[in-house]
Amino acid sequence: TDEIMHQDIIPLYAADIQDQLKKQFAYLSGGRGGDGCPVITFPDYPAFGDIPEKEFQNVLTYLTSIP
């Protein structure tokens, strides 16, 4: 079972995770895929393996909740 997909999603606001967003290990580039979904970009980030799972989950939850 994929635990991330089965957790209750709590709305996140940019102000709640601003320190995590400032790291810019993932961001919305403004582009859209063929199906109209937003493209999330993961640039080269030297400490990517050191990002705590909860922090990664918070950023992706926030980015995927932006209309």
Side-chain angles (χ1 to χ4, degrees):
T1 307
D2 188 357
E3 293 179 26
I4 293 174
M5 297 303 294
H6 288 64
Q7 293 178 355
D8 292 330
I9 297 176
I10 299 169
L12 290 174
Y13 302 99
D16 297 336
I17 60 168
Q18 64 184 338
D19 292 334
Q20 297 167 20
L21 292 171
K22 285 180 184 177
K23 292 181 181 180
Q24 295 183 337
F25 60 82
Y27 61 89
L28 291 175
S29 62
R32 297 233 174 230
D35 58 359
C37 293
V39 174
I40 297 176
T41 301
F42 295 91
D44 187 26
Y45 188 79
F48 194 81
D50 296 334
I51 299 168
E53 184 176 337
K54 185 65 177 170
E55 188 172 313
F56 182 78
Q57 183 180 353
N58 284 345
V59 170
L60 287 187
T61 298
Y62 172 73
L63 292 177
T64 57
S65 70
I66 298 172

